[in-house]
Amino acid sequence: MSDTATLSPPEVVSPPESPEAAVAPTPALPPTMPRRRELIFGTVFVTAGVAMALLTLIGSYLATRDAAGAAWLADNQIALTQPNMQMLTLGMSVVTMQWAVWSICRDDRYHTYLAIGVTMLLGIAFVNQSTFLFKEAGIAITQPEGPLFYAVTLGHLAMVIAGLVFLLLMAFRTLGGQYSSRQPDGISAAAVFWYAGVALYAVIWFAVYIQK
Amino acid sequence: MTLTDTRSSSDTPPAAAGSVVPTALERVIGTGEHEAIGRTFILSSLALMAVSAAALAAGALRSLSNGGPLDVSDNVWNSALVGMVLMGAIPLLLGLAICLVPLQVGSKAIAFPRAAALSLWAWLVSAVIFAISLALDGGVGGSDLEASRLGMLSMGSMMVALSLGAVCVATTVLSHRPVGMSLARVPFFSWSMLVAAPIWILTFGSTTAHVFLGQISQANAAGLALRYEAGVAWFLRAPSVYMLAIPVLGISCDLVAQGCGRRIARYGTVQALIAMFGVFSFGAWTQTSGGRENILWIAFVALAAVPVLGLLGLIADTLRHQKPVVSPGLIGVLLAFLLLLGGMLAGVLEALNTSGSGTLFSFEAVGLGWAQSLFLLSAAFIGGLAALSAWSRVVLRASAPNAIALGAISAGLIGGGLLATVFFIQGLTGFGLNLSFYNVWVAVAAAVLALSALLGLMLVLVTSRGNAPKPADAGADGLTLEWAKAELSPEDQALLMSAIVASPYPMLDFRFAGEAVEEDN
């Protein structure tokens, strides 16, 4: 079977004819198997759109900062410790995310759950670190830098939260037995989205925080 | 089961006796069937195209009554143009794609059917809100702050919704193909949608970011207008505006092959040319004025004409070898190609002007830019109408009346052509738009374009109410899989779908195989 072929559609079960059987509930249709790689392709397209939006925001941020010169964020102090730790956190999550993909491809369900759990923990830690950073930096939305700074950072934070929700859903579906070495698409799709989120944070980390 | 792999309604068993039968409205709103979603997209886009073109005509008449020049920075002008693109041309093509692409690749359902339905309803609600915001002096660049914010937000929502629909279409092409149908054997329209979808997604991703910035920047109405001009309006200029025409290339090649009843030679070359055009239509990097005044921009705009000319040559070659059956669809795509060439010519002149401004050429770049946008918008709209007419037995389940189809296409050509030509002349001659004559010209052209959309709407309504599909024994002429349902008996359909696809034209192969069997007998 080629990779684009699908499993045959489920057969509709005819209702039983005997009186005893007639009172029995009609058997439910078995769920259709999703087409191979459908979710991955869909996620890649969505990720491309989200990445483009974030890159545009980053581009606008850099252009405005360039125009503002030395006055940009002159009244605020952003220590590098926090962004560095965030980068490290997300960097570690790449390893654990790949661990989840590797495990599901080998039907190692225990390690899959463990890896997804650790990845989500690191993601939640990132969200927590971000809120701390916003509080520490004290950038007001009303100051000139505010809208762009928060558009970039909150936009990315929203992407990470979306990634966490995606991972949670895929974890539940894995628990339900939907994913295995034969059909690892859900975990792989979540991984694609997650990796894009980490890559975009690397750009933000360098462009927004390192090059302040 | 989650949203991502929901069985489409076409796959569900019939309702059991005694169960509640949904009303027609509930069926339309709750459906995940791609054909119903596509038809609703088409119907709504034609109605909204008429509204947008009428708004453009009203704006020109308002300028005329005020005694002022044609104001292309006016919010009515800009909103109407955005409306014609995001509420008319792109949804029309996307609706056709949602309807046709799964059938072309032999799939019973579109990928992510509920996402496709979400795309439709989110787009429709946003489009209505956008129209309301324009009526309240908002839209894009309006003077009322709240209405302008609403206009920008609804425009962003439309872009997100259309991107979602494009995701469904592109994923269908990639993952729903039957055994044997490699990407090199995908029908041209599906291929062109596969090329167009990522370009639309990336472009709208970028413009949506600016809409988001506009919303959080606490700008006043003038600031929002500036945000639109600096961050969003670029998608209506070269090279991004080329993305409107990508599906038209696929439609043209499919309909020419259909009209001639023969395979198009050099299938891979055609696919490569469509992909090349797609690459040249990616313009998110030209958002700043500096990005539009360099050698890369000149190369993109000028080189985009190469694949169009190449495709024109291959189409002409096909028509030369086989006299086609003339139909409104075929006439429509050839006229759309003509408008496309107009757009390419304006683009090449604009590129030459940029490269030699002040020394070799002294064209009016703004006029040429508008001409190019309007030529391509018209080409996309007429291409959509032509496709609707040609595939009516598949999309609308009955043959479209030729008279209405020809009327809609002709009105589209006249309206769109006139609208673009006024700016083309202005761009070439450099005359200002301060003559009342221009207002009258634009008003008439926009009104004719609105008439074209209304005729298209009539075409859909009249055809949908007809119940005369072509009988299966009346002779088949479809080449690709979407025609199977309209032209083959259920037994033959089952036979065709179980066969391994061996060429880009499975229906043609099937017919030849049948004839061979008959000859043997």
Side-chain angles (χ1 to χ4, degrees), chain B residues 19 80 208 212 215 322 367 415:
Chain B
S19 64
T208 306
F212 177 57
Q215 291 297 316
Q322 178 78 44

Side-chain angles (χ1 to χ4, degrees), chain B residues 3-98:
Chain B
L3 294 179
T4 53
D5 59 351
T6 307
R7 186 185 293 119
S8 78
S9 56
S10 60
D11 290 347
T12 53
S19 64
V20 178
V21 178
T23 62
L25 183 65
E26 285 169 344
R27 276 203 302 275
V28 169
I29 292 176
T31 187
E33 195 201 351
H34 69 96
E35 289 176 76
I37 294 169
R39 276 194 292 272
T40 314
F41 245 124
I42 291 166
L43 202 68
S44 314
S45 66
L46 288 168
L48 290 165
M49 179 75 180
V51 170
S52 304
L56 190 63
L61 287 177
R62 191 178 66 172
S63 296
L64 184 67
S65 64
N66 292 341
L70 184 63
D71 186 5
V72 290
S73 61
D74 181 39
N75 74 316
V76 177
W77 171 268
N78 282 305
S79 303
L81 200 66
V82 166
M84 286 197 288
V85 173
L86 295 180
M87 291 152 68
I90 289 185
L92 176 63
L93 295 168
L94 185 63
L96 281 163
I98 288 175

Side-chain angles (χ1 to χ4, degrees), chain B residues 4-369:
Chain B
T4 53
D5 59 351
T6 307
R7 186 185 293 119
S8 78
S9 56
S10 60
D11 290 347
T12 53
S19 64
V20 178
V21 178
T23 62
L25 183 65
E26 285 169 344
R27 276 203 302 275
V28 169
I29 292 176
T31 187
E33 195 201 351
H34 69 96
E35 289 176 76
I37 294 169
R39 276 194 292 272
T40 314
F41 245 124
I42 291 166
L43 202 68
S44 314
S45 66
L46 288 168
L48 290 165
M49 179 75 180
V51 170
S52 304
L56 190 63
L61 287 177
R62 191 178 66 172
S63 296
L64 184 67
S65 64
N66 292 341
L70 184 63
D71 186 5
V72 290
S73 61
D74 181 39
N75 74 316
V76 177
W77 171 268
N78 282 305
S79 303
L81 200 66
V82 166
M84 286 197 288
V85 173
L86 295 180
M87 291 152 68
I90 289 185
L92 176 63
L93 295 168
L94 185 63
L96 281 163
I98 288 175
C99 206
L100 279 172
V101 165
L103 299 174
Q104 282 201 324
V105 298
S107 171
K108 284 183 180 174
I110 193 166
F112 317 122
R114 287 192 196 169
L118 175 65
S119 155
L120 165 67
W121 297 112
W123 165 78
L124 191 53
V125 169
S126 307
V128 171
I129 292 173
F130 185 78
I132 292 170
S133 81
L134 178 59
L136 299 172
D137 196 17
V140 290
S143 55
D144 184 281
L145 176 61
E146 295 304 319
S148 293
R149 289 177 80 92
L150 193 65
M152 287 285 273
L153 192 65
S154 54
M155 182 180 66
S157 306
M158 278 194 280
M159 289 170 174
V160 172
L162 292 172
S163 299
L164 187 60
V167 168
C168 299
V169 171
T171 306
T172 305
V173 180
L174 285 173
S175 67
H176 282 219
R177 284 171 287 125
V179 179
M181 186 183 277
S182 61
L183 278 178
R185 289 175 182 165
V186 164
F188 290 126
F189 179 49
S190 296
W191 173 259
S192 65
M193 282 308 300
L194 181 61
V195 173
I199 305 292
W200 291 0
I201 291 163
L202 293 174
T203 303
F204 290 151
S206 189
T207 46
T208 306
H210 285 287
V211 172
F212 177 57
L213 267 180
Q215 291 297 316
I216 67 164
S217 63
Q218 300 173 330
N220 56 16
L224 280 177
L226 273 176
R227 171 66 58 189
Y228 166 77
E229 193 52 45
V232 183
W234 57 267
F235 91 94
L236 295 171
R237 301 192 193 108
S240 283
V241 74
Y242 292 155
M243 70 180 182
L244 296 179
I246 301 171
V248 178
L249 301 180
I251 290 170
S252 306
C253 295
D254 268 349
L255 293 191
V256 166
Q258 178 74 24
C260 295
R262 75 191 302 267
R263 298 163 202 267
I264 284 200
R266 300 185 183 87
Y267 204 89
T269 309
V270 174
Q271 285 188 318
L273 288 171
I274 294 174
M276 190 176 159
F277 187 75
V279 169
F280 287 129
S281 69
F282 180 68
W285 52 276
T286 63
Q287 297 185 26
T288 59
S289 57
R292 290 190 292 273
E293 291 163 2
N294 56 42
I295 187 70
L296 193 60
W297 183 87
I298 292 166
F300 259 59
V301 174
L303 288 177
V306 173
V308 175
L309 292 174
L311 285 171
L312 187 66
L314 286 167
I315 286 174
D317 185 53
T318 308
L319 292 171
R320 188 171 62 88
H321 281 97
Q322 178 78 44
K323 193 179 174 189
V325 176
V326 178
S327 65
L330 188 66
I331 294 170
V333 289
L334 294 177
L335 292 177
F337 231 95
L338 191 68
L339 289 168
L340 189 53
L341 287 174
M344 293 296 111
L345 178 63
V348 169
L349 289 176
E350 205 183 345
L352 289 174
N353 189 52
T354 305
S355 61
S357 185
T359 51
L360 293 172
F361 308 99
S362 56
F363 300 136
E364 182 61 51
V366 176
L368 285 177

Side-chain angles (χ1 to χ4, degrees), chain A residues 3-210:
Chain A
D3 58 359
T4 55
T6 58
L7 298 181
S8 52
E11 290 177 10
V12 178
V13 180
S14 306
E17 291 177 356
S18 66
E20 295 79 15
V23 294
T26 309
L29 284 168
T32 50
M33 282 291 281
R35 288 172 186 262
R36 187 130 169 103
R37 296 186 188 169
E38 182 185 65
L39 193 52
I40 295 180
F41 286 132
T43 306
V44 166
F45 285 123
V46 171
T47 306
V50 173
M52 195 67 202
L54 271 173
L55 287 172
T56 303
L57 290 174
I58 295 168
S60 295
Y61 181 91
L62 294 178
T64 313
R65 187 182 69 186
D66 191 43
W72 190 256
L73 289 177
D75 300 333
N76 304 90
Q77 291 293 324
I78 304 177
L80 275 181
T81 316
Q82 201 62 35
N84 290 346
M85 285 306 294
Q86 287 180 279
M87 188 68 251
L88 199 62
T89 306
L90 285 185
M92 287 190 292
S93 76
V94 169
V95 178
T96 55
M97 188 70 247
Q98 188 56 35
W99 176 21
V101 175
W102 190 89
S103 303
I104 196 69
C105 288
R106 281 153 187 81
D107 285 327
D108 186 349
R109 307 185 77 79
Y110 173 77
H111 278 104
T112 305
Y113 303 141
L114 193 62
I116 290 176
V118 174
T119 308
M120 289 185 66
L121 192 68
L122 291 170
I124 292 166
F126 175 84
V127 174
N128 183 44
Q129 288 169 326
S130 295
T131 55
F132 181 73
L133 175 66
F134 295 152
K135 196 180 282 183
E136 286 292 298
I139 298 170
I141 189 79
T142 46
Q143 70 186 76
E145 302 91 342
L148 267 170
F149 177 80
Y150 285 115
V152 172
T153 51
L154 284 180
H156 181 263
L157 193 64
M159 187 181 181
V160 170
I161 291 170
L164 284 171
V165 173
F166 196 177
L167 261 178
L168 188 67
L169 282 173
M170 293 308 112
F172 277 126
R173 290 174 73 164
T174 311
L175 272 171
Q178 201 165 346
Y179 297 125
S180 64
S181 59
R182 283 182 64 228
Q183 176 58 279
D185 286 3
I187 307 288
S188 303
V192 166
F193 191 77
W194 193 262
Y195 297 153
V198 176
L200 283 166
Y201 185 74
V203 177
I204 293 171
W205 173 69
F206 183 73
V208 176
Y209 298 119
I210 300 290

